[in-house]
Amino acid sequence: MKQDRSSFDSGAHNEEVFTPLVKQPKGRRKSIEISGEENFDNSSFNIANEQSKMQFEQKQIIPSPIEPNHAKKRGRPVEITDERFKVTKPKKISPALESKLSVLQDYMVEFQDTTGRITFEMVVATLAESYISHRLGVAKEEHIQKEIQEMFDKLK
């Protein structure tokens, strides 16, 4: 049989009482308002970008070392006492060479007893010493060691 559905019949249903699983929070609800949320103008992006730059620059203020939470030094301790051994230029090598050196340092017997970090300078110095002592003759080795010592003394 056909039912007349031209009007909505709400009287046939029984209302059931239920208890919600999640209770509504008491008190004032928190709301977040974003300035310029409805602004789709081209200039709004530039203003927001400038504001974020200003906030970023304000966060980069370096705290003074007098503050108590920065009194303790962090990171690796600096053990360089001679100025001639301080690194002054960044390494400019390709990623391919860097990966080659990192693989090579695993096979270098000179670093088997080293427990700390192996630096790029340590790898290059070890390779140079190994080349001088194994590839060159005794006379050339003595000559190169003498030249290296002279260059080292000029650095003072």
PDB file of all heavy atoms in Angstrom, residues 20 32 55-57 71 74 78 105 114 122 129 131:
ATOM      1  N   PRO A  20      25.106  11.500  27.080  1.00  0.00           N
ATOM      2  CA  PRO A  20      26.246  11.661  26.183  1.00  0.00           C
ATOM      3  C   PRO A  20      27.514  11.059  26.782  1.00  0.00           C
ATOM      4  O   PRO A  20      27.712  11.082  28.006  1.00  0.00           O
ATOM      5  CB  PRO A  20      26.383  13.178  26.030  1.00  0.00           C
ATOM      6  CG  PRO A  20      25.683  13.752  27.210  1.00  0.00           C
ATOM      7  CD  PRO A  20      24.630  12.763  27.605  1.00  0.00           C
ATOM      8  N   ILE A  32      39.748  30.956  19.276  1.00  0.00           N
ATOM      9  CA  ILE A  32      40.946  31.499  18.649  1.00  0.00           C
ATOM     10  C   ILE A  32      40.510  32.395  17.512  1.00  0.00           C
ATOM     11  O   ILE A  32      39.715  31.999  16.665  1.00  0.00           O
ATOM     12  CB  ILE A  32      41.834  30.363  18.112  1.00  0.00           C
ATOM     13  CG1 ILE A  32      42.284  29.463  19.251  1.00  0.00           C
ATOM     14  CG2 ILE A  32      43.024  30.927  17.380  1.00  0.00           C
ATOM     15  CD1 ILE A  32      43.020  28.234  18.794  1.00  0.00           C
ATOM     16  N   GLN A  55      58.853  38.711  13.856  1.00  0.00           N
ATOM     17  CA  GLN A  55      58.822  37.782  14.977  1.00  0.00           C
ATOM     18  C   GLN A  55      60.047  36.882  14.951  1.00  0.00           C
ATOM     19  O   GLN A  55      60.631  36.574  15.986  1.00  0.00           O
ATOM     20  CB  GLN A  55      57.546  36.948  14.931  1.00  0.00           C
ATOM     21  CG  GLN A  55      56.304  37.724  15.259  1.00  0.00           C
ATOM     22  CD  GLN A  55      55.042  36.910  15.055  1.00  0.00           C
ATOM     23  OE1 GLN A  55      55.088  35.797  14.543  1.00  0.00           O
ATOM     24  NE2 GLN A  55      53.913  37.462  15.451  1.00  0.00           N
ATOM     25  N   PHE A  56      60.465  36.437  13.760  1.00  0.00           N
ATOM     26  CA  PHE A  56      61.626  35.573  13.637  1.00  0.00           C
ATOM     27  C   PHE A  56      62.889  36.304  14.072  1.00  0.00           C
ATOM     28  O   PHE A  56      63.720  35.756  14.774  1.00  0.00           O
ATOM     29  CB  PHE A  56      61.761  35.083  12.189  1.00  0.00           C
ATOM     30  CG  PHE A  56      62.942  34.197  11.960  1.00  0.00           C
ATOM     31  CD1 PHE A  56      62.949  32.906  12.427  1.00  0.00           C
ATOM     32  CD2 PHE A  56      64.052  34.665  11.282  1.00  0.00           C
ATOM     33  CE1 PHE A  56      64.035  32.084  12.227  1.00  0.00           C
ATOM     34  CE2 PHE A  56      65.138  33.861  11.078  1.00  0.00           C
ATOM     35  CZ  PHE A  56      65.131  32.556  11.552  1.00  0.00           C
ATOM     36  N   GLU A  57      63.019  37.570  13.682  1.00  0.00           N
ATOM     37  CA  GLU A  57      64.188  38.352  14.060  1.00  0.00           C
ATOM     38  C   GLU A  57      64.221  38.602  15.562  1.00  0.00           C
ATOM     39  O   GLU A  57      65.282  38.628  16.169  1.00  0.00           O
ATOM     40  CB  GLU A  57      64.210  39.668  13.295  1.00  0.00           C
ATOM     41  CG  GLU A  57      64.513  39.500  11.817  1.00  0.00           C
ATOM     42  CD  GLU A  57      64.314  40.772  11.014  1.00  0.00           C
ATOM     43  OE1 GLU A  57      63.899  41.792  11.610  1.00  0.00           O
ATOM     44  OE2 GLU A  57      64.558  40.740   9.808  1.00  0.00           O
ATOM     45  N   ALA A  71      74.826  29.346  31.859  1.00  0.00           N
ATOM     46  CA  ALA A  71      76.136  29.337  32.483  1.00  0.00           C
ATOM     47  C   ALA A  71      76.887  28.049  32.167  1.00  0.00           C
ATOM     48  O   ALA A  71      78.103  28.041  32.074  1.00  0.00           O
ATOM     49  CB  ALA A  71      75.993  29.498  33.997  1.00  0.00           C
ATOM     50  N   ARG A  74      77.631  23.811  26.655  1.00  0.00           N
ATOM     51  CA  ARG A  74      77.079  22.612  26.044  1.00  0.00           C
ATOM     52  C   ARG A  74      77.894  22.245  24.822  1.00  0.00           C
ATOM     53  O   ARG A  74      78.599  23.048  24.261  1.00  0.00           O
ATOM     54  CB  ARG A  74      75.636  22.851  25.627  1.00  0.00           C
ATOM     55  CG  ARG A  74      74.737  23.070  26.793  1.00  0.00           C
ATOM     56  CD  ARG A  74      73.348  23.242  26.323  1.00  0.00           C
ATOM     57  NE  ARG A  74      72.448  22.731  27.326  1.00  0.00           N
ATOM     58  CZ  ARG A  74      71.207  22.454  27.126  1.00  0.00           C
ATOM     59  NH1 ARG A  74      70.680  22.648  25.953  1.00  0.00           N
ATOM     60  NH2 ARG A  74      70.463  21.986  28.083  1.00  0.00           N
ATOM     61  N   VAL A  78      86.046  22.572  23.508  1.00  0.00           N
ATOM     62  CA  VAL A  78      87.054  23.055  22.577  1.00  0.00           C
ATOM     63  C   VAL A  78      88.416  22.773  23.189  1.00  0.00           C
ATOM     64  O   VAL A  78      88.726  23.253  24.276  1.00  0.00           O
ATOM     65  CB  VAL A  78      86.875  24.561  22.294  1.00  0.00           C
ATOM     66  CG1 VAL A  78      87.954  25.064  21.370  1.00  0.00           C
ATOM     67  CG2 VAL A  78      85.504  24.814  21.720  1.00  0.00           C
ATOM     68  N   GLN A 105      86.939   6.355   5.935  1.00  0.00           N
ATOM     69  CA  GLN A 105      87.401   6.463   7.316  1.00  0.00           C
ATOM     70  C   GLN A 105      87.039   5.230   8.133  1.00  0.00           C
ATOM     71  O   GLN A 105      87.678   4.952   9.139  1.00  0.00           O
ATOM     72  CB  GLN A 105      86.868   7.727   7.971  1.00  0.00           C
ATOM     73  CG  GLN A 105      85.453   7.670   8.450  1.00  0.00           C
ATOM     74  CD  GLN A 105      84.994   9.000   9.010  1.00  0.00           C
ATOM     75  OE1 GLN A 105      85.649  10.011   8.822  1.00  0.00           O
ATOM     76  NE2 GLN A 105      83.884   9.000   9.676  1.00  0.00           N
ATOM     77  N   THR A 114      90.038   5.586  18.037  1.00  0.00           N
ATOM     78  CA  THR A 114      89.394   6.873  18.293  1.00  0.00           C
ATOM     79  C   THR A 114      87.946   6.643  18.711  1.00  0.00           C
ATOM     80  O   THR A 114      87.205   5.942  18.027  1.00  0.00           O
ATOM     81  CB  THR A 114      89.429   7.756  17.032  1.00  0.00           C
ATOM     82  OG1 THR A 114      90.780   7.854  16.584  1.00  0.00           O
ATOM     83  CG2 THR A 114      88.890   9.133  17.317  1.00  0.00           C
ATOM     84  N   MET A 122      90.941  15.733  10.388  1.00  0.00           N
ATOM     85  CA  MET A 122      91.674  14.541  10.831  1.00  0.00           C
ATOM     86  C   MET A 122      91.823  13.534   9.690  1.00  0.00           C
ATOM     87  O   MET A 122      92.888  12.930   9.523  1.00  0.00           O
ATOM     88  CB  MET A 122      90.955  13.890  12.017  1.00  0.00           C
ATOM     89  CG  MET A 122      91.004  14.700  13.284  1.00  0.00           C
ATOM     90  SD  MET A 122      89.898  14.102  14.593  1.00  0.00           S
ATOM     91  CE  MET A 122      90.496  12.458  14.868  1.00  0.00           C
ATOM     92  N   GLU A 129      99.560  12.120   5.644  1.00  0.00           N
ATOM     93  CA  GLU A 129     100.676  11.441   6.325  1.00  0.00           C
ATOM     94  C   GLU A 129     100.891  10.043   5.765  1.00  0.00           C
ATOM     95  O   GLU A 129     102.027   9.605   5.578  1.00  0.00           O
ATOM     96  CB  GLU A 129     100.407  11.370   7.828  1.00  0.00           C
ATOM     97  CG  GLU A 129     100.490  12.699   8.528  1.00  0.00           C
ATOM     98  CD  GLU A 129     100.007  12.623   9.972  1.00  0.00           C
ATOM     99  OE1 GLU A 129      99.809  11.496  10.483  1.00  0.00           O
ATOM    100  OE2 GLU A 129      99.812  13.681  10.579  1.00  0.00           O
ATOM    101  N   TYR A 131     100.146   8.994   2.746  1.00  0.00           N
ATOM    102  CA  TYR A 131     100.716   9.115   1.405  1.00  0.00           C
ATOM    103  C   TYR A 131     102.209   9.428   1.476  1.00  0.00           C
ATOM    104  O   TYR A 131     103.019   8.843   0.763  1.00  0.00           O
ATOM    105  CB  TYR A 131      99.991  10.212   0.614  1.00  0.00           C
ATOM    106  CG  TYR A 131     100.534  10.380  -0.788  1.00  0.00           C
ATOM    107  CD1 TYR A 131     100.131   9.519  -1.804  1.00  0.00           C
ATOM    108  CD2 TYR A 131     101.450  11.374  -1.083  1.00  0.00           C
ATOM    109  CE1 TYR A 131     100.641   9.659  -3.087  1.00  0.00           C
ATOM    110  CE2 TYR A 131     101.956  11.522  -2.355  1.00  0.00           C
ATOM    111  CZ  TYR A 131     101.545  10.662  -3.361  1.00  0.00           C
ATOM    112  OH  TYR A 131     102.050  10.794  -4.613  1.00  0.00           O
TER     113      TYR A 131
END
